Structure formats: C-alpha cells, structure tokens
Amino acid sequence: MIKSDNKIIIAIDGYSSSGKSTLAKEIAKLLDYKYIDSGAMYRAVTLFALKNTIINQKNHEVDEKKLQNLIDQIHINFKYNPEKKNQETYLNNENVESEIRNMKVSDNVSFISKIGFVRKKMVSFQQEMGNEKGIVMDGRDIGTVVFPNAELKVFMNAKAEVRAERRYQELKGNNVDVSYDEILQNVKKRDHIDETRDESPLKKAHDSVELDNSNMNRQEQLDWIIGLVKERIN
Ligand code: DC
C-alpha cells in the first residue's frame, strides 16, 4: 500500500479494451482509493434502453424523447463484492454487472453514450463521486470533462488487434460465445464513434501522460503509473 495524506484524483482515459480498468483497479487498491468505472454507467443506461425498447437493436435508432422522459427513473450505483473483490454495478437495485458486459450492450452503447442529456446526467453523478478526492476513474472524458483538474491524467492506447485479442480472451474465459473477428469489428466501430461524436469525443487531454501498452505486461504498467503517482502525492 502507498500511504499519503495528500489524496488526489486520477483520471484514466483511452480506447476501449486498452486495459484502463485493470490498471485503474490495481492502482486504486495500492492507494486505498475508490475505483469508479464510468463506462459501466453508460452500459447500464444502454441496458435500461434495451429493456424498455428505447433503442432499435437492428438500426440502433434511439427514441430520445422516451429516454429523456424515463431518465430520472435510472438509478445507478456500485457495491463492493467482497467474494469477487470487485465493484459491481447496480441498475435500479438490480445487480447487472455481468449483463452490461454482453455483446448486445457493447454493440449499442456508443449510440447511447453520444447523447448529450445522457452524458450530462452521468457527468454530474461522476463529479459528485469525486468530491472527496481519493478516487481513480476510468473512461473517455474523465481528464477532459469530468475532472479537468485531476492531479494525474493518463491516456491509454494499444493496437486494435491487441485490444481485440485481450477482450476475446476475457470473454472466452467467461464462456461467452463470440468470435475474435466480431470483437475486432466492435472495437474498431466503437473507436470510430467515440472519436467522432459531437459530445465529448474521446481525445487526449493536453496535460495527460500517454501510455501505449501494446507491448507491456500488467506489472510494467503498474510500475509506470506508481512512478507518476509518487511524483504527485509527495
Ligand atoms: O469502457 P467501456 O468500453 O466499458 O465503455 C463503454 C462505452 O461507453 C464506450 O463505447 C464509450 C462509452 N463511454 C463514454 O462515452 N464515456 C465514458 N466516460 C466512459 C465510457
């Protein structure tokens, strides 16, 4: 454990499946900080939209009016599962942690996360969680929009093929029936939508530190971020 009374905010942004959450969780644990997966929130809203036929699964068209009318009925929170040693996502008091990771949600989430009023609600919720500092949050706009004053901002990337392979192994480990090609297409499509959307597109904050981890293992990445954290808390 790294001890310091000087609590900071760590923002980790980057491309999908670039290893943000693995690194964020590990550094949060070492610092005894709260870890928040902001992507899980957009996934939970997407699950809500799928369940309430707000999004057309074929052409991904969103009934924005209906979503706007129902958005205040969406309550998301996180609870720590001591058995799995993991934060789990709850949507209206239901544990949706595994459901939000399925391909149906992955295929639709970009169409929900590009909607302005959805982002506004998620961002204010995320900012509330960072009130007391001592937080690591990962996502796409954490260093640019959610916490522009974060003491440490990291921007992660890796080659699309490397990211797809990691995701493939992860889903295969969870017995999800999906092909590598399907995942590679999904990764590339999400990169494109995330980078080109009008609302808070994925981009590197001018003051963030870039990490391309295509050829790095977990320990090397952790050592790298520990060095940066120490510079900021001492
Ligand atoms: O990190 P992830 O792949 O679980 O995120 C799911 C989707 O949510 C991703 O396609 C982009 C979107 N997202 C976002 O727009 N802003 C964030 N802060 C986090 C995720």
Side-chain angles (χ1 to χ4, degrees):
M1 174 115 59
I2 303 170
K3 284 209 163 142
S4 168
D5 291 333
N6 179 20
K7 289 209 180 296
I8 63 170
I9 293 181
I10 302 176
I12 302 187
D13 288 305
Y15 288 86
S16 64
S17 304
S18 58
K20 300 183 297 289
S21 68
T22 305
L23 183 63
K25 274 182 214 167
E26 286 176 348
I27 193 66
K29 198 169 161 205
L30 271 179
L31 289 160
D32 197 23
Y33 277 17
K34 209 159 41 172
Y35 161 67
I36 302 292
D37 171 1
S38 70
M41 297 184 197
Y42 292 98
R43 287 175 177 272
V45 178
T46 305
L47 183 63
F48 179 91
L50 286 165
K51 284 187 168 169
N52 290 278
T53 51
I54 290 170
I55 184 161
N56 180 321
Q57 286 182 49
K58 289 214 174 89
N59 62 14
H60 307 292
E61 226 167 69
V62 180
D63 183 343
E64 291 199 22
K65 221 174 185 175
K66 188 168 174 189
L67 183 56
Q68 189 140 36
N69 285 334
L70 293 178
I71 197 144
D72 288 330
Q73 291 179 24
I74 303 177
H75 299 286
I76 299 164
N77 58 305
F78 298 97
K79 282 186 207 159
Y80 186 73
N81 178 337
E83 245 169 61
K84 293 191 176 160
K85 294 197 168 88
N86 226 347
Q87 292 268 42
E88 296 188 323
T89 313
Y90 284 72
L91 169 63
N92 295 337
N93 293 320
E94 187 193 344
N95 186 336
V96 293
E97 183 56 35
S98 86
E99 217 177 340
I100 59 169
R101 312 283 164 194
N102 69 30
M103 281 306 281
K104 203 151 92 178
V105 172
S106 298
D107 277 341
N108 287 284
V109 63
S110 303
F111 301 93
I112 294 291
S113 62
K114 68 178 186 181
I115 300 173
F117 65 84
V118 172
R119 301 204 69 83
K120 201 166 161 217
K121 185 169 160 113
M122 296 301 117
V123 168
S124 70
F125 184 32
Q126 290 152 8
Q127 286 171 334
E128 250 170 59
M129 289 193 265
N131 270 346
E132 288 163 27
K133 299 213 173 187
I135 187 171
V136 183
M137 193 177 287
D138 70 355
R140 304 292 190 288
D141 60 342
I142 311 305
T144 49
V145 177
V146 182
F147 299 126
N149 297 322
E151 287 82 357
L152 174 58
K153 299 181 185 179
V154 173
F155 189 82
M156 287 178 69
N157 199 1
K159 290 187 191 83
E161 289 72 16
V162 173
R163 291 184 282 129
E165 178 62 28
R166 287 180 189 151
R167 185 111 187 93
Y168 176 60
Q169 294 302 339
E170 188 187 326
L171 290 174
K172 227 172 62 174
N174 292 333
N175 295 318
V176 179
D177 183 26
V178 66
S179 72
Y180 168 80
D181 284 341
E182 214 179 320
I183 294 177
L184 182 61
Q185 289 321 312
N186 176 265
V187 162
K188 287 184 173 171
K189 196 163 127 196
R190 281 204 284 153
D191 285 355
H192 179 72
I193 302 176
D194 290 349
E195 283 173 319
T196 55
R197 68 179 177 218
D198 292 336
E199 293 284 341
S200 315
L202 170 65
K203 65 167 192 270
K204 184 183 169 300
H206 68 92
D207 51 353
S208 70
V209 195
E210 195 159 0
L211 177 70
D212 183 325
N213 62 12
S214 300
N215 299 308
M216 283 170 94
N217 66 29
R218 277 165 75 159
Q219 191 58 48
E220 286 166 339
Q221 295 174 58
L222 189 58
D223 291 342
W224 175 86
I225 200 169
I226 288 171
L228 295 172
V229 167
K230 284 187 172 162
E231 281 170 19
R232 276 137 181 107
I233 60 177
N234 287 327

